[in-house]
Amino acid sequence: MLAEFDLIRRYLMSPQEAQAANGVALGNGDDATLLMPRAGQQLVVSVDTSVVDVHFPHDAPGFAIGHRALAVALSDLAAMGAASRWCLMALTLDQRAFVDKKVAEQWVSDYARGFHTLCQQHATTLVGGDVTSGALTISVTVMGEVPTGIAMTRSGAQVGDVIAVTGTLGGGAGGLALWQKGERDITHPLLQRYLLPEPRLAAGVALRSIATAAMDISDGLLADLAHLRAASHVGATLEPEALPLAEGLEQLLGQSDARKAALSGGDDYELLVTLAPEDVACAQARLADLGITLTVIGRCNEALGVTGVSSADYAGWQHFSGDTP
């Protein structure tokens, strides 16, 4: 495999012209980068780490791993209503996992293709990072902008607000189940949802002036709703029959398990939002223009906790043991 800095120069650097066009005063190649946020904007920053065989399978295609590592980080910007601008990426690469140097370099090339392609789709410039040797781990720091004072947060939900989600749910869990069954057709809709999630950045921008609270769905709808409820000091009543299920999920898992996957499966990277009832039609119209659905699945109320679903469905993904929210 190429040496560290040769690998970075060949695969993991954005073109200088792309950096200059996106407010990068000093990019890759120095000890740090210099960035120029636009006037009247607040800087939104988030970091996400993906670990082999925890967040993605070791035998997933390199381009899918690159795409996914960036997508899950960008999803946090979407939840704030931010437009993405820059990212940093730290790649820990396990050379022992490859049969020879050519295979290793091809994997890096594929990984970089997935990462850079998604960068281009969302006007995001890779401005620096690090490459080390060890168990395959990717940490991505994303930076975006939102007009001052209008970022969406988890703490604005009000009693009487409706609860809604973009897109469909359960696809991440369904895709993982398919992969574990041996399915390797990357064009399968459920595998697309699991390995190639699409961050809802455009939806976040469209909703940021009317949503009262928002967050992305990464650990499962109920687990993430618990965070939003805690921040906003509200309870929730859900309508399980209203959950928008991912294509092919019921056929794969059956109705009961499909609904459970939608409630607690995780890895969906859709947006969970609350809105005043009178704003729902406007929000749905804005997202329809983007080809994205917005489905009302419940309502905020005064009584803390969640009604309408079984407590057995509450468990979401957690890295460490402890009390479930």
Side-chain angles (χ1 to χ4, degrees), residues 164-188:
V165 294
T166 61
T168 59
L169 302 177
L176 174 60
L178 263 185
W179 189 271
Q180 292 172 337
K181 289 176 180 291
E183 177 62 67
R184 293 297 182 268
D185 179 5
I186 202 70
T187 66
H188 191 289

Side-chain angles (χ1 to χ4, degrees), residues 60 90 126 163 193:
L126 177 62
I163 302 168
R193 291 295 306 273

Side-chain angles (χ1 to χ4, degrees), residues 248-300:
L249 191 64
E250 282 193 88
Q251 293 90 327
L252 175 68
L253 301 178
Q255 186 181 64
S256 177
D257 284 347
R259 185 171 291 174
K260 188 170 183 179
L263 288 169
S264 59
D267 276 336
D268 282 320
Y269 302 102
E270 296 289 352
L271 297 185
L272 166 66
V273 299
T274 57
L275 307 120
E278 62 269 22
D279 290 331
V280 172
C282 176
Q284 289 175 327
R286 289 186 183 186
L287 294 196
D289 289 341
L290 300 172
I292 301 170
T293 59
L294 182 70
T295 304
V296 174
I297 60 168
R299 186 176 294 268
C300 298

Side-chain angles (χ1 to χ4, degrees), residues 154 162-173 193 214-230 236-245 258-274 294-299 306-310 313-317 324-325:
R154 302 176 180 183
V162 300
I163 302 168
V165 294
T166 61
T168 59
L169 302 177
R193 291 295 306 273
M215 66 179 299
D216 77 325
I217 302 173
S218 56
D219 296 331
L221 171 64
L222 287 174
D224 290 321
L225 178 60
H227 299 310
L228 188 149
R229 290 190 293 105
T237 298
L238 294 183
E239 302 170 8
E241 65 279 1
L243 294 172
L245 301 181
R259 185 171 291 174
K260 188 170 183 179
L263 288 169
S264 59
D267 276 336
D268 282 320
Y269 302 102
E270 296 289 352
L271 297 185
L272 166 66
V273 299
T274 57
L294 182 70
T295 304
V296 174
I297 60 168
R299 186 176 294 268
V306 177
T307 58
V309 296
S310 167
D313 295 326
Y314 274 43
W317 171 256
T324 302

Side-chain angles (χ1 to χ4, degrees), residues 113-132:
R113 174 167 55 89
F115 194 96
H116 287 304
T117 298
L118 193 62
C119 277
Q120 293 165 8
Q121 290 174 5
H122 295 287
T124 302
T125 303
L126 177 62
V127 295
D130 192 23
V131 175
T132 56

Side-chain angles (χ1 to χ4, degrees), residues 33-58:
T33 186
L34 300 176
L35 306 173
M36 297 181 293
R38 297 182 182 97
Q41 302 281 318
Q42 288 180 303
L43 188 64
V44 185
V45 182
S46 182
V47 63
D48 207 287
T49 297
S50 298
V51 180
V52 66
D53 288 331
V54 176
H55 300 94
F56 59 87
H58 66 274

